[in-house]
Amino acid sequence: MSHNTFGHLFRVTTWGESHGPAMGCIVDGTPPGIALSEGDIQHWLDKRKPGTSRFVTQRREPDAVKILSGVFGDEDTAGQVTTGTPIALHIDNVDARSRDYEGIKDKFRPGHADYAYFIKYGVRDYRGGGRQSARETAARVAAGGIARKILDQLVPGGVRIRGALIQLGKHTIDRKKWDWAQTEQNPFWSPDASVVPGWEAYLDDLRKAGSSCGAVIELVAEGAPAGLGAPVYGKLDAELASALMSINAVKGVEIGAGFAAAALSGEENADEMRMKDGKPFFLSNGAGGILGGISTGQDIVARFAVKPTSSILAPRKTITRSGEETEIQTTGRHDPCVGIRAVPVGEAMMACVLADHLLRHRAQCG
Amino acid sequence: MSHNTFGHLFRVTTWGESHGPAMGCIVDGTPPGIALSEGDIQHWLDKRKPGTSRFVTQRREPDAVKILSGVFGDEDTAGQVTTGTPIALHIDNVDARSRDYEGIKDKFRPGHADYAYFIKYGVRDYRGGGRQSARETAARVAAGGIARKILDQLVPGGVRIRGALIQLGKHTIDRKKWDWAQTEQNPFWSPDASVVPGWEAYLDDLRKAGSSCGAVIELVAEGAPAGLGAPVYGKLDAELASALMSINAVKGVEIGAGFAAAALSGEENADEMRMKDGKPFFLSNGAGGILGGISTGQDIVARFAVKPTSSILAPRKTITRSGEETEIQTTGRHDPCVGIRAVPVGEAMMACVLADHLLRHRAQCG
Amino acid sequence: MSHNTFGHLFRVTTWGESHGPAMGCIVDGTPPGIALSEGDIQHWLDKRKPGTSRFVTQRREPDAVKILSGVFGDEDTAGQVTTGTPIALHIDNVDARSRDYEGIKDKFRPGHADYAYFIKYGVRDYRGGGRQSARETAARVAAGGIARKILDQLVPGGVRIRGALIQLGKHTIDRKKWDWAQTEQNPFWSPDASVVPGWEAYLDDLRKAGSSCGAVIELVAEGAPAGLGAPVYGKLDAELASALMSINAVKGVEIGAGFAAAALSGEENADEMRMKDGKPFFLSNGAGGILGGISTGQDIVARFAVKPTSSILAPRKTITRSGEETEIQTTGRHDPCVGIRAVPVGEAMMACVLADHLLRHRAQCG
Amino acid sequence: MSHNTFGHLFRVTTWGESHGPAMGCIVDGTPPGIALSEGDIQHWLDKRKPGTSRFVTQRREPDAVKILSGVFGDEDTAGQVTTGTPIALHIDNVDARSRDYEGIKDKFRPGHADYAYFIKYGVRDYRGGGRQSARETAARVAAGGIARKILDQLVPGGVRIRGALIQLGKHTIDRKKWDWAQTEQNPFWSPDASVVPGWEAYLDDLRKAGSSCGAVIELVAEGAPAGLGAPVYGKLDAELASALMSINAVKGVEIGAGFAAAALSGEENADEMRMKDGKPFFLSNGAGGILGGISTGQDIVARFAVKPTSSILAPRKTITRSGEETEIQTTGRHDPCVGIRAVPVGEAMMACVLADHLLRHRAQCG
């Protein structure tokens, strides 16, 4: 991973500021011959885009993606495929309101990256957070759409990557009620329908109070082949950790049993193995599908924690660029819980990491 | 990060199997003129080496490091400095007992990477786990010793990186009793002296029963300058996550408030800022010293969870290389809690990540 | 260097096909605070753009560049500077005539990359050569404009990079008549004005006959500081060689005395050193300003050879995609000597390599 | 390519100084299951090692290589194979005479990298040239031995890589007398036996006079499959250029027709295609087997020029570290023409580049 690039063989380089004219990415390393249309990518962007419910920011961005290179053939007849050359994806910004940010251009918002960027670079595009804005994640989701196509075409049976919100603020789900179909039926991507009314009331209250909350998201990849990953530093779990921690506002990542593994006994922790229909399988999945940094063929399970949105109405103590103590109150349009829109972003990052490792595995192991 | 290399400008490439003749690493990118002796590195290796207490593996490895290149001058008079060329570090393996592993060469140990390696590569050095062994972490600790020297010489006031075990199995510490000095006084690196007798009894019982437990380690870097890290994919926290998750048996990583951040309100989460003696400071550190992937000058705080050692005496269900169901019972010498020796490893990884980002910051921001 | 990215710390990733809607690049790693406007980049694109004389292709492309990200401030008042985030450059393609290529979509043009691309990818955008077109070099020149700004701002006294065509087909210049000012006065970038009338007549004849010729270009960087480069594999000359050889149609690269060095004696080859005004200088520059892969402070001198344009009117033997023998005659608009427009491309590549090494040097050596 | 690493998926990282205790490299990315013994590597080291004739340096180094990791199985029964983990190669230095260099530790040798290293790093291991010594190329040759094994095992029919010295000082060969078998029969790797007596007399004279000369080497790879390489920046020829230019004392690189291509007409340059036995072939090979940066299946042909050894007996003007003008006369043991021992080094670099691209091709194109 370099500053604005992730992946090694499936490489995504993103660009763009929240209030610049546009944003996008270059996806390099895609195998040739993968069927790919703008619709394949737009489908996932629509999951992430703002304004889909009252629980996310009201900025109106269609997030319409254009493919500017790297494909060839007739899009109308679905004959368009990747050529193996870099795929440039372009998304125009159409609803930026830069004036909302005039009042804070000389103040650092607590919990935001304002201060860190200023100290590092000495200059920053403060409008909408510039490059530090979660708007950058649209490019990740777009790239993830390509990664999914690669996985579907190159892995027999395909790879299914889904995410669910399993904790909203202090409120958790009942894992016994887990139903993946429900995640598409409520604005929170909750797999447990029973918690939805309560979450709605809770988030309505938070939103009206100008406050915010955090969340925990769980990602599951089904169908990923055994053998992906690499020992020591190119470990599949290490790169998932990096990919997920790189999402705005993420403060923790875990694989399989995660932090709870510390309290298990050795007997509980070790997933036993048996044979079924001539194939190995495991009696449990505390490992989250990864051992020694390499996938085992089980479901790959990762979770990540998102902190509360830092943009809140309550006045907070801060300082100015010139070092004076002051207070700040953030206005503008914001997500009361950025964790909600982080679900499709997390899925996209997992897809990108798996696509990258699929290509890396082909390189070394044929 | 590549398969066996971590870091971008401060680059560490490790090699070696648990029962091979030797192991080591090449450290590339070190600035010239850094005073460096073998003793500087040996100091940290001695913290990690096996056999220092009854709570770690009894394999007898002196882990004596040799510097084979990249330094020049007179070691006796402490005039030896780095030259800017690659530093090769070499550690002989002297106490391997490969026969202990004959019985398991055709069976996969549950919880181990045996199966994953075999599926990936079709061949593996099963002796002591080969490349998947935690023995590889000696090379990381050695590299960390160089990283610390860089940080000390290039950062005014130096950077102090310390680790502590804050959870052993189900047993946690009392954070109010935290005393860094205590970590050097007990075999667990516990900062809370009051828990030590209980932990000793607990681990003695586990050890005698042939079982094992996990742990949680906390790392703190004091003195790291603000501005380290990079937005989007080269984030300091993303690379710490990757570095820590790449340590054997780690299943979770968090920064600052970590997973607990999900349950905070926006007001609680945002660390407020004030001025003191003409310098900015923060009224809290939920961020763990990193905002937007860039250090803020506060203490950098990370935690990681280690699963229980998979090598246990209790028989476990498994399969053979040829797909037959069987049972396995692991003998040989093992750590009842690999989390203990992971403390200096985590410190070393944090040192390497910070040294790498220090150089990266110099490159772009002067 | 990765497939579509060059540079390590100053990283340029290009995208786009000759007849796609647009093309461009992302420039990552630029230090913050560098003054940069679209005009700074357009200046160099105008040197490379087609249609500037009858000796280059008549395709009408304004090559107007847009900066889509990575800068902030007021462009009108020249207050716009880089922010340290990725700079996306975008150039629309406006004069593609894809129908010219219908006749050759199933045939491989000898000397072109058609066959190699088809064998590698199984699919290719044949229109105007797609990704293999020299049109891609517009993105390089644009990136080179940013590299020059970095060099000018960060190196005291600035770095001046100029190129000259020193051989057109079989015709060479008289080095004694070298006058850099002349390179801007003739359509060939020849530093020797006396050869221009002859070259015009020669190239007019070639053009009318539908034939083509090659060229040799010399690049000189004045003002580059000593100490840039790195030993062994990151050598400044090795990376210049790679950068120049990566330009379309280039078949040879040399530094300083180049191939002629093989015929020198050791005495002739070794540039002697003296002091002048308290500074070291060299009595000759056979090294071309680079020793052991590191710049010495002398002028950096490189040359590269460009083969003749492969698109010629004369019918040539070839085969079809389905393996039938046939003949081909290339129509469409082409440069009779691609070496002419390679001059600003070579300059840009040298600028990018030097900017990259400047940042790398700052990282390791402060 | 990073400072001390070359290759992307087949990655070689070298370390070691000329007069340090040892030198070596780590080879990472090797596919598992490749049969590999120390003898496979030693074979190529023996071609490069010093002291094999009176025309190369008389330093007595056995260059005995040890494999310290990354292989498994029984070496005696040839059952030893790569495991996919990093292969550490170790070569002891046994005949360093550091005292020979005491007299020049404060003076810069013209033509050497002494000055450049000192300016860059402020410190250098002057003994035998330290890291700048051509002794580093032993590690390249060792790595090349592994690359050859990969090519032989993974490419049907194998890949044969051979080098020949085609120019010694001003003296060239007669290409009509080219006989590969001769290269193994004379101390110069000349493919033209008729020039050998003259070259012996010439080099004897040079050697006795304490002077030196340069050389041109030609490399040919037969059997490399079509499709290796990548467009734009990962071009096969660009990476060959970098790899060859990174060898000590190299000042020029060319592919196929090379610099002579500039003087060809478009008709002469474009290699025509026909079919034979159902397969495409070319009527000429001016391209040197590479079009658009991608191999065509023809022989890959590269040449590189080596400057004269800078260590000569004649006194030369130079300066000291403290900026005083002085003279220098180089004693010690040296090659009168370093180009001779560069033949196996060039072969090794070509093997490494091809192995790397073979793996990269598998990653993207299956």
Side-chain angles (χ1 to χ4, degrees):
Chain A
M1 281 207 184
S2 188
H3 292 194
N4 293 283
T5 300
F6 69 92
H8 293 259
L9 297 185
F10 178 76
R11 297 172 64 79
V12 179
T13 304
T14 72
W15 58 271
E17 275 77 40
S18 179
H19 288 205
M23 46 169 303
C25 62
I26 301 178
V27 178
D28 198 10
T30 302
I34 305 286
L36 181 71
S37 68
E38 287 175 353
D40 292 327
I41 298 169
Q42 194 63 48
H43 174 76
W44 303 105
L45 279 169
D46 290 347
K47 277 190 74 169
R48 193 215 72 104
K49 78 178 175 189
T52 53
S53 81
R54 70 182 183 276
F55 303 112
V56 296
T57 177
Q58 299 304 302
R59 180 170 166 175
R60 297 286 169 190
E61 289 289 350
D63 280 353
V65 69
K66 283 180 281 188
I67 300 177
L68 296 182
S69 66
V71 295
F72 190 63
D74 188 345
E75 184 161 7
D76 297 335
T77 61
Q80 185 173 259
V81 296
T82 58
T83 59
T85 62
I87 302 170
L89 302 179
H90 183 101
I91 297 169
D92 281 315
N93 289 329
V94 303
D95 187 31
R97 291 190 202 157
S98 300
R99 288 196 191 159
D100 288 355
Y101 296 85
E102 282 294 318
I104 59 158
K105 73 178 181 181
D106 291 321
K107 295 178 182 178
F108 304 121
R109 292 169 296 171
H112 268 280
D114 297 351
Y115 174 71
Y117 266 66
F118 180 70
I119 288 293
K120 183 173 188 72
Y121 296 118
V123 56
R124 68 188 182 91
D125 181 347
Y126 60 83
R127 302 166 307 165
R131 183 74 178 146
Q132 73 194 60
S133 168
R135 182 145 182 71
E136 183 270 343
T137 59
R140 303 179 184 223
V141 170
I146 298 176
R148 287 179 191 263
K149 295 290 285 187
I150 294 171
L151 293 167
D152 282 345
Q153 183 147 338
L154 299 186
V155 176
V159 179
R160 187 175 205 178
I161 296 167
R162 291 184 291 193
L165 202 91
I166 61 169
Q167 182 180 333
L168 183 77
K170 290 180 162 60
H171 307 284
T172 57
I173 61 157
D174 179 352
R175 296 186 76 92
K176 290 181 198 136
K177 295 183 182 161
W178 192 295
D179 175 5
W180 276 113
Q182 289 302 322
T183 58
E184 305 278 345
Q185 306 297 324
N186 64 73
F188 307 107
W189 314 106
S190 168
D192 171 3
S194 71
V195 300
V196 173
W199 286 14
E200 287 179 338
Y202 168 69
L203 210 55
D204 273 331
D205 286 351
L206 270 183
R207 190 166 51 85
K208 285 167 190 161
S211 185
S212 63
C213 71
V216 176
I217 291 98
E218 181 163 318
L219 303 169
V220 179
E222 295 167 72
L228 301 190
V232 187
Y233 305 114
K235 284 178 168 166
L236 184 57
D237 40 5
E239 299 205 349
L240 274 171
S242 178
L244 297 176
M245 192 69 93
S246 79
I247 300 171
N248 308 54
V250 173
K251 299 305 284 185
V253 178
E254 56 183 19
I255 305 293
F259 275 86
L264 298 177
S265 70
E267 291 78 5
E268 292 164 328
N269 171 67
D271 306 315
E272 294 182 296
M273 298 185 75
R274 296 281 88 175
M275 297 296 292
K276 186 159 60 181
D277 304 333
K279 289 183 185 164
F281 76 102
F282 293 81
L283 299 177
S284 55
N285 189 16
I290 303 174
L291 285 169
I294 299 172
S295 64
T296 61
Q298 288 190 282
D299 286 356
I300 296 173
V301 181
R303 274 178 301 282
F304 62 101
V306 179
K307 70 179 185 181
T309 312
S310 301
S311 300
I312 49 176
L313 280 181
R316 305 295 291 162
K317 292 174 188 155
T318 191
I319 61 170
T320 66
R321 282 173 50 157
S322 48
E324 289 153 9
E325 299 192 340
T326 184
E327 289 205 336
I328 194 166
Q329 208 174 342
T330 309
T331 55
R333 299 162 297 178
H334 300 287
D335 293 273
C337 175
V338 284
I340 297 172
R341 293 207 290 139
V343 176
V345 180
E347 292 172 2
M349 296 308 285
M350 185 179 255
C352 289
V353 170
L354 288 174
D356 186 39
H357 272 285
L358 183 68
L359 301 185
R360 289 158 76 173
H361 183 70
R362 298 210 302 182
Q364 190 175 17
C365 300
Chain B
M1 281 210 185
S2 189
H3 292 193
N4 293 283
T5 300
F6 69 92
H8 293 259
L9 298 186
F10 178 76
R11 297 171 65 80
V12 179
T13 303
T14 72
W15 58 272
E17 275 78 40
S18 180
H19 288 206
M23 45 169 305
C25 62
I26 301 177
V27 177
D28 197 10
T30 302
I34 306 286
L36 180 71
S37 69
E38 287 175 351
D40 292 326
I41 298 169
Q42 194 64 49
H43 173 76
W44 303 105
L45 279 169
D46 289 347
K47 277 189 75 169
R48 192 213 75 104
K49 78 177 174 189
T52 54
S53 81
R54 69 181 184 274
F55 303 113
V56 296
T57 177
Q58 298 306 301
R59 179 168 166 177
R60 297 286 168 190
E61 290 288 350
D63 280 353
V65 69
K66 282 180 281 187
I67 300 178
L68 296 182
S69 65
V71 294
F72 190 62
D74 189 346
E75 184 160 7
D76 296 333
T77 61
Q80 185 174 261
V81 296
T82 59
T83 59
T85 62
I87 302 169
L89 302 179
H90 184 101
I91 298 169
D92 282 313
N93 290 328
V94 301
D95 187 31
R97 292 191 202 156
S98 301
R99 288 196 191 159
D100 288 355
Y101 296 85
E102 282 294 318
I104 60 159
K105 74 178 183 181
D106 290 322
K107 295 179 182 179
F108 304 120
R109 292 170 295 171
H112 268 280
D114 297 350
Y115 174 72
Y117 266 66
F118 179 70
I119 288 292
K120 183 173 188 71
Y121 296 118
V123 57
R124 68 189 183 88
D125 182 347
Y126 60 82
R127 302 166 307 165
R131 183 73 178 147
Q132 73 194 59
S133 168
R135 180 141 185 75
E136 184 271 343
T137 59
R140 301 178 185 225
V141 170
I146 299 176
R148 288 179 191 261
K149 295 291 286 186
I150 294 172
L151 292 167
D152 282 345
Q153 183 149 335
L154 299 185
V155 176
V159 179
R160 185 175 207 178
I161 296 167
R162 290 184 290 193
L165 201 91
I166 61 170
Q167 183 180 333
L168 183 78
K170 289 179 162 62
H171 307 283
T172 57
I173 61 156
D174 179 352
R175 296 186 76 91
K176 289 180 198 137
K177 296 183 183 160
W178 192 296
D179 176 5
W180 277 113
Q182 289 301 323
T183 59
E184 305 277 345
Q185 306 298 323
N186 63 74
F188 308 107
W189 315 105
S190 169
D192 171 4
S194 71
V195 301
V196 172
W199 288 13
E200 288 179 337
Y202 168 69
L203 211 54
D204 273 331
D205 286 350
L206 271 183
R207 191 166 50 86
K208 286 167 190 162
S211 185
S212 63
C213 71
V216 176
I217 290 99
E218 182 162 317
L219 303 170
V220 179
E222 295 168 72
L228 301 191
V232 187
Y233 306 114
K235 284 177 169 165
L236 184 57
D237 40 5
E239 299 204 348
L240 275 172
S242 177
L244 297 176
M245 192 69 93
S246 78
I247 300 171
N248 308 53
V250 173
K251 299 305 282 186
V253 178
E254 55 184 20
I255 305 294
F259 275 86
L264 298 177
S265 70
E267 290 78 5
E268 292 164 327
N269 171 67
D271 305 315
E272 294 183 298
M273 299 186 75
R274 296 281 86 176
M275 297 296 293
K276 185 160 61 181
D277 304 333
K279 288 184 187 165
F281 76 103
F282 294 80
L283 299 178
S284 55
N285 190 16
I290 303 174
L291 285 169
I294 299 171
S295 64
T296 62
Q298 289 188 281
D299 285 357
I300 296 173
V301 181
R303 274 177 301 282
F304 61 101
V306 179
K307 69 179 185 182
T309 311
S310 301
S311 300
I312 48 177
L313 281 181
R316 305 295 291 162
K317 292 174 188 155
T318 191
I319 60 170
T320 66
R321 281 172 51 157
S322 48
E324 289 154 9
E325 299 191 341
T326 183
E327 289 206 337
I328 194 167
Q329 206 172 344
T330 309
T331 55
R333 299 161 297 177
H334 301 286
D335 293 272
C337 174
V338 283
I340 297 171
R341 292 206 292 140
V343 175
V345 180
E347 292 172 1
M349 294 309 285
M350 185 178 255
C352 290
V353 170
L354 288 174
D356 185 40
H357 272 285
L358 183 69
L359 301 185
R360 289 158 77 173
H361 183 70
R362 298 209 304 182
Q364 189 175 18
C365 299
Chain C
M1 280 207 183
S2 188
H3 292 193
N4 292 283
T5 300
F6 70 91
H8 293 258
L9 298 185
F10 179 76
R11 297 171 65 80
V12 179
T13 304
T14 72
W15 58 272
E17 274 79 39
S18 180
H19 288 205
M23 46 168 303
C25 63
I26 301 177
V27 178
D28 197 10
T30 303
I34 305 287
L36 181 71
S37 69
E38 287 175 352
D40 292 326
I41 298 169
Q42 193 64 49
H43 173 76
W44 302 105
L45 279 169
D46 289 347
K47 278 189 74 169
R48 193 213 74 105
K49 78 177 175 190
T52 54
S53 81
R54 70 182 185 275
F55 303 113
V56 296
T57 177
Q58 298 305 301
R59 180 168 166 176
R60 296 287 169 190
E61 290 288 350
D63 280 353
V65 70
K66 282 179 283 187
I67 300 178
L68 297 181
S69 65
V71 294
F72 191 62
D74 188 345
E75 184 160 7
D76 297 334
T77 62
Q80 185 173 262
V81 295
T82 58
T83 59
T85 62
I87 302 170
L89 302 178
H90 183 101
I91 298 169
D92 282 315
N93 289 329
V94 302
D95 187 32
R97 291 190 201 157
S98 300
R99 287 194 192 162
D100 288 355
Y101 295 86
E102 282 295 317
I104 60 159
K105 73 178 183 181
D106 291 321
K107 295 178 183 179
F108 303 121
R109 292 169 295 172
H112 269 280
D114 297 351
Y115 174 71
Y117 266 65
F118 179 70
I119 288 294
K120 183 174 188 71
Y121 296 119
V123 55
R124 67 188 183 91
D125 182 348
Y126 59 82
R127 302 166 307 166
R131 183 74 178 148
Q132 73 194 59
S133 168
R135 181 144 184 72
E136 184 270 344
T137 58
R140 302 178 185 223
V141 170
I146 298 176
R148 287 178 191 263
K149 294 291 284 188
I150 294 171
L151 292 168
D152 282 345
Q153 183 148 335
L154 299 186
V155 176
V159 180
R160 186 175 206 177
I161 296 166
R162 291 184 291 193
L165 201 90
I166 61 170
Q167 182 180 335
L168 183 77
K170 290 181 162 59
H171 307 285
T172 57
I173 61 157
D174 180 351
R175 296 186 75 92
K176 289 180 198 136
K177 296 183 182 162
W178 193 295
D179 175 5
W180 277 113
Q182 288 302 322
T183 59
E184 305 278 344
Q185 307 297 324
N186 65 72
F188 307 107
W189 314 106
S190 168
D192 172 3
S194 71
V195 300
V196 172
W199 287 14
E200 287 179 338
Y202 168 68
L203 210 54
D204 273 331
D205 285 350
L206 271 184
R207 189 166 52 85
K208 286 167 190 162
S211 186
S212 64
C213 72
V216 176
I217 291 97
E218 181 163 317
L219 303 170
V220 179
E222 294 168 72
L228 302 191
V232 186
Y233 305 114
K235 282 177 170 167
L236 184 57
D237 41 4
E239 300 204 348
L240 275 172
S242 177
L244 298 175
M245 192 69 93
S246 78
I247 300 171
N248 308 53
V250 173
K251 300 304 284 183
V253 178
E254 56 184 19
I255 306 293
F259 275 86
L264 298 177
S265 71
E267 290 77 5
E268 292 163 328
N269 170 67
D271 305 315
E272 293 182 298
M273 300 185 74
R274 295 281 88 175
M275 296 295 293
K276 186 159 60 180
D277 304 333
K279 289 183 185 164
F281 76 103
F282 293 81
L283 299 177
S284 54
N285 189 16
I290 303 175
L291 285 170
I294 299 172
S295 63
T296 61
Q298 288 190 282
D299 285 357
I300 296 173
V301 181
R303 274 177 302 281
F304 62 101
V306 179
K307 70 179 185 181
T309 312
S310 301
S311 301
I312 49 177
L313 280 182
R316 305 296 291 162
K317 292 175 187 153
T318 190
I319 60 170
T320 66
R321 282 173 50 157
S322 47
E324 289 153 10
E325 299 192 339
T326 182
E327 289 205 337
I328 193 166
Q329 207 172 345
T330 309
T331 55
R333 299 162 296 178
H334 300 286
D335 293 272
C337 174
V338 284
I340 296 172
R341 293 207 291 139
V343 175
V345 179
E347 292 172 1
M349 295 309 285
M350 185 178 256
C352 289
V353 170
L354 288 174
D356 186 39
H357 272 285
L358 183 68
L359 301 186
R360 289 159 76 172
H361 182 71
R362 298 209 304 181
Q364 190 176 18
C365 299
Chain D
M1 282 209 184
S2 189
H3 292 193
N4 293 284
T5 300
F6 70 92
H8 294 259
L9 298 185
F10 178 76
R11 297 171 66 78
V12 179
T13 304
T14 72
W15 59 271
E17 275 79 40
S18 180
H19 288 206
M23 46 169 304
C25 62
I26 301 178
V27 177
D28 197 10
T30 303
I34 305 287
L36 181 71
S37 69
E38 287 175 352
D40 292 326
I41 299 169
Q42 193 63 50
H43 173 76
W44 303 105
L45 280 169
D46 289 346
K47 278 189 74 169
R48 192 213 75 104
K49 78 177 175 190
T52 53
S53 81
R54 69 182 183 275
F55 304 113
V56 296
T57 177
Q58 298 305 302
R59 179 168 166 176
R60 296 284 169 192
E61 290 288 352
D63 281 353
V65 69
K66 283 179 280 186
I67 301 178
L68 297 182
S69 65
V71 294
F72 191 62
D74 189 345
E75 183 159 9
D76 296 333
T77 61
Q80 185 173 260
V81 296
T82 59
T83 59
T85 62
I87 302 169
L89 302 179
H90 184 101
I91 298 169
D92 281 314
N93 289 329
V94 302
D95 187 32
R97 291 190 203 156
S98 300
R99 288 197 192 159
D100 287 356
Y101 295 86
E102 282 295 317
I104 61 158
K105 73 178 183 180
D106 292 321
K107 295 178 181 178
F108 304 121
R109 292 169 295 171
H112 268 281
D114 297 350
Y115 174 71
Y117 266 67
F118 179 71
I119 288 292
K120 183 173 188 72
Y121 296 118
V123 56
R124 69 189 182 89
D125 182 348
Y126 59 82
R127 302 165 307 166
R131 183 73 178 148
Q132 72 195 60
S133 168
R135 181 142 183 74
E136 184 271 343
T137 59
R140 302 178 185 224
V141 170
I146 299 176
R148 287 179 191 262
K149 294 291 285 186
I150 294 171
L151 292 167
D152 282 345
Q153 182 149 338
L154 299 186
V155 176
V159 179
R160 185 175 207 177
I161 297 167
R162 291 184 290 193
L165 201 91
I166 61 171
Q167 182 179 335
L168 183 78
K170 290 180 163 60
H171 307 283
T172 56
I173 61 156
D174 179 352
R175 297 186 75 91
K176 289 180 198 135
K177 296 185 183 158
W178 192 296
D179 175 7
W180 278 113
Q182 289 302 322
T183 58
E184 306 277 347
Q185 307 298 323
N186 64 74
F188 307 108
W189 315 105
S190 169
D192 171 4
S194 70
V195 301
V196 173
W199 288 12
E200 287 179 337
Y202 168 67
L203 210 55
D204 273 330
D205 285 350
L206 271 183
R207 191 165 50 86
K208 286 167 192 163
S211 186
S212 63
C213 71
V216 176
I217 291 98
E218 181 163 317
L219 302 170
V220 179
E222 295 168 72
L228 300 191
V232 186
Y233 305 113
K235 284 177 170 166
L236 184 57
D237 40 4
E239 300 204 348
L240 275 172
S242 177
L244 297 176
M245 192 70 92
S246 78
I247 299 171
N248 308 51
V250 174
K251 300 304 282 185
V253 178
E254 55 184 19
I255 306 293
F259 274 85
L264 298 177
S265 69
E267 290 77 5
E268 292 164 329
N269 170 68
D271 304 315
E272 294 182 297
M273 299 185 75
R274 295 281 87 175
M275 297 297 293
K276 185 160 60 181
D277 304 333
K279 288 183 187 164
F281 76 102
F282 294 81
L283 299 177
S284 55
N285 190 16
I290 303 175
L291 285 169
I294 299 171
S295 64
T296 62
Q298 288 189 281
D299 285 357
I300 297 173
V301 181
R303 273 177 302 281
F304 62 102
V306 179
K307 69 179 186 182
T309 312
S310 301
S311 301
I312 48 177
L313 280 182
R316 305 295 292 162
K317 292 174 188 154
T318 191
I319 61 171
T320 66
R321 281 172 52 157
S322 48
E324 288 153 10
E325 299 191 340
T326 183
E327 289 206 337
I328 194 166
Q329 207 173 343
T330 308
T331 54
R333 299 161 296 176
H334 301 287
D335 293 272
C337 174
V338 284
I340 297 171
R341 291 206 292 140
V343 175
V345 180
E347 292 172 0
M349 295 309 284
M350 185 178 255
C352 289
V353 170
L354 288 174
D356 186 39
H357 272 285
L358 183 69
L359 301 185
R360 289 158 75 172
H361 183 71
R362 297 210 304 182
Q364 189 175 17
C365 299

